[in-house]
Amino acid sequence: MADLHGLHLDDQVAAELPDWAETVAHLRTRRPVVEVLRAARAAGRPVVQPRCGVGGHQQMLDLLRALEPAGPGVLSVTIDSHTRLRHFDTAAETLARDPGDLNGYPLVAHGWQRGRELADAVGVPLEVRHGSPDGRELFAVALAAGLTSYEGGGIGYNLPYSKNVPLGHSLRAWQQVDALCGVLAEAGVVIDRELFGTLTAVLVPPSVSLAVTVLEAVAAAREGVRCLSIAYPQGGETHQDVAALRAVRTLAARYLDPAVEVYPVLHEFMGVFPRTRSYAELLILHGGLLARLGGAAKVINKTHQEAYGIPEAEANADGIRGAALGAGELLDFVRIDEDRVAEEQHWIEREVAELVDPVLAEGELIPAIEAAFAAGRLDIPFSASIHAHAQVVPRRDRSGAIRYADAGALPFSTAVLRRHAALLSEPPGTPERSPFEAATADIRYFLDHEDRFHTRTPHYTRSENSQRF
């Protein structure tokens, strides 16, 4: 394999890259994503970023240009599944046969020159979003293209997506990515490394999400990364979500060097999305408001077509505007129960400490993370990976907050476990539900709200009533 300042690359991919000095010089000419995040923090309002990626180059250019007028702070280049799995030849073959068969933009197959055309096509910077347990080649091409933000990490981009990729492999691959970010930082080029706290996106307890991103953040910072975006997925209960977002800065102060810039990011609700446009748009607006209340620097928006598949460009633009409206001045009058938020934040931070501190207390971080997942002391609910126990059973309490019905082998204190048990206790006379019935109701949380909201409004599928979109 070729070596790019410690980044081990496939020889064929490496041979097509430009000279490293030219890459660094080009990166210096770009407006980096970190500048957008700094401005958002200074303004006290999050910027909005959509997910977007299609196979064809011209179609991708058209999509970016169609979304820019909606006012995003950052635009995405969402990568196709073949490239995510390093099947670059398959991605290239599919691209040549029919770009419409790809579920994202195959950046490696298109090449860094076309990547620069994407970056030049719009006035806002681009981020690469993918889902690769090993994204080294993709990262090298993204750098050559002039892209200054790269999502992913060795845990969050492995266990939710892959069935059998050893944690040690993904963690060491991302260690090389982070180390190259350190090389660039010393050269004056700051790459934003966003960590995907959303995980499996279904009923993820806040402390599980934050514990994973804290460990990935510590690993990245040790390699020299100087800008970290720590993402958290909207769970559904406002006080708990605001507390989790605010905890990002507290945890960063506790576990990271002050020289590392840290920006909280909110992923709008990633679970089963409402089917009606009116309720879906209400949830999108609520996500923007939540991001502002929680002090996020960025919010990743959803669309009113989310329940039906990949959104059309117009729907995505509407989603950007809806999230921005929720984060805007119009809703500045909204206040929440700060005492309740503070209590949630206290317990979230305590739970994260009980998960993270034993791992950090061991000698080498990567073997310690591997050992913790192997023993179930770290775990992710609903993970399909054989490298996670997936024994954690989350459940919503009566307020909608996500609690631990079964913490598996997570090393929580008695006080933490008692609190979750108490919050999940039902009043006398409450009808008993089977675990399957309870899980189904919790997953359908916003659908049930929608049903009550639209009691007399029939639901339509996308094909049944396209004018609704």
Side-chain angles (χ1 to χ4, degrees), residues 375-388:
R377 289 182 280 108
L378 290 173
D379 201 1
I380 293 175
F382 308 114
S383 173
S385 172
I386 65 171
H387 303 286

Side-chain angles (χ1 to χ4, degrees), residues 182-233:
V183 171
L184 285 166
E186 291 179 357
V189 176
V190 177
I191 301 297
D192 168 49
R193 282 279 293 106
E194 185 169 328
L195 306 176
F196 184 66
T198 296
L199 303 176
T200 47
V202 182
L203 299 175
V204 177
S207 54
V208 164
S209 168
L210 293 174
V212 166
T213 50
V214 163
L215 290 170
E216 291 179 330
V218 170
R222 288 181 180 179
E223 298 301 322
V225 171
R226 286 295 171 263
C227 178
L228 287 164
S229 293
I230 295 184
Y232 165 79

Side-chain angles (χ1 to χ4, degrees), residues 155-156 159-160 196-213 231-237 240-241 244 266-267 269-271 348 351-352 355 379-383 392-396 400-405 410 412 420 442-443:
I155 305 170
L159 301 185
F196 184 66
T198 296
L199 303 176
T200 47
V202 182
L203 299 175
V204 177
S207 54
V208 164
S209 168
L210 293 174
V212 166
T213 50
Y232 165 79
Q234 180 180 5
E237 201 289 310
Q240 186 180 48
D241 287 335
L266 176 73
H267 284 256
F269 189 64
M270 296 280 280
I348 289 171
E351 291 170 16
V352 172
L355 295 172
D379 201 1
I380 293 175
F382 308 114
S383 173
V392 169
V393 179
R395 181 77 39 84
R396 291 188 188 276
I402 300 171
R403 310 296 181 190
Y404 293 92
L410 298 182
F412 284 139
H420 283 272
D442 288 347
I443 290 169

Side-chain angles (χ1 to χ4, degrees), residues 265-332:
V265 173
L266 176 73
H267 284 256
E268 290 197 327
F269 189 64
M270 296 280 280
V272 183
F273 220 73
R275 294 158 293 186
T276 53
R277 178 167 182 165
S278 56
Y279 200 81
E281 289 182 333
L282 184 62
L283 186 54
I284 291 165
L285 182 141
H286 181 265
L289 172 63
L290 177 66
R292 202 263 295 168
L293 291 172
K298 190 173 73 173
V299 52
I300 311 296
N301 70 280
K302 285 288 188 176
T303 80
H304 64 80
Q305 293 180 347
E306 212 65 40
Y308 302 98
I310 297 174
E312 298 157 357
E314 184 180 352
N316 209 343
D318 286 343
I320 296 170
R321 296 187 188 97
L325 183 63
E329 296 88 347
L330 187 65
L331 300 180
D332 275 353

Side-chain angles (χ1 to χ4, degrees), residues 101-284:
D101 286 344
L102 294 164
N103 63 348
Y105 186 80
L107 178 60
V108 175
H110 279 297
W112 59 271
Q113 298 93 335
R114 284 189 167 182
R116 290 190 182 184
E117 291 178 16
L118 298 182
D120 289 338
V122 288
V124 297
L126 306 180
E127 178 184 44
V128 178
R129 313 187 70 87
H130 47 118
S132 306
D134 181 350
R136 289 176 291 182
E137 283 83 5
L138 179 60
F139 179 60
V141 176
L143 287 179
L147 308 187
T148 58
S149 182
Y150 197 66
E151 190 189 28
I155 305 170
Y157 262 14
N158 179 349
L159 301 185
Y161 289 100
S162 302
K163 183 175 181 179
N164 187 17
V165 175
L167 262 177
H169 175 86
S170 59
L171 286 165
R172 289 181 175 82
W174 282 95
Q175 185 179 37
Q176 293 180 17
V177 168
D178 290 333
L180 190 55
C181 290
V183 171
L184 285 166
E186 291 179 357
V189 176
V190 177
I191 301 297
D192 168 49
R193 282 279 293 106
E194 185 169 328
L195 306 176
F196 184 66
T198 296
L199 303 176
T200 47
V202 182
L203 299 175
V204 177
S207 54
V208 164
S209 168
L210 293 174
V212 166
T213 50
V214 163
L215 290 170
E216 291 179 330
V218 170
R222 288 181 180 179
E223 298 301 322
V225 171
R226 286 295 171 263
C227 178
L228 287 164
S229 293
I230 295 184
Y232 165 79
Q234 180 180 5
E237 201 289 310
T238 301
H239 302 85
Q240 186 180 48
D241 287 335
V242 168
L245 279 170
R246 292 181 182 177
V248 169
R249 294 194 189 282
T250 308
L251 294 167
R254 182 183 301 167
Y255 292 106
L256 298 172
D257 188 305
V260 179
E261 298 179 56
V262 174
Y263 299 96
V265 173
L266 176 73
H267 284 256
E268 290 197 327
F269 189 64
M270 296 280 280
V272 183
F273 220 73
R275 294 158 293 186
T276 53
R277 178 167 182 165
S278 56
Y279 200 81
E281 289 182 333
L282 184 62
L283 186 54
I284 291 165

Side-chain angles (χ1 to χ4, degrees), residues 14-72:
E16 296 175 358
L17 293 173
D19 176 76
W20 176 246
E22 197 275 340
T23 293
V24 176
H26 180 72
L27 284 166
R28 288 197 178 105
T29 69
R30 309 300 309 179
R31 183 192 180 202
V33 168
V34 66
E35 282 191 8
V36 176
L37 300 173
R38 288 169 181 162
R41 180 175 60 188
R45 295 191 188 282
V47 297
V48 183
Q49 178 181 350
R51 294 175 179 82
C52 52
V54 290
H57 183 60
Q58 186 59 50
Q59 290 79 3
M60 188 70 205
L61 285 168
D62 293 343
L63 178 58
L64 293 173
R65 288 168 176 151
L67 295 179
E68 187 177 25

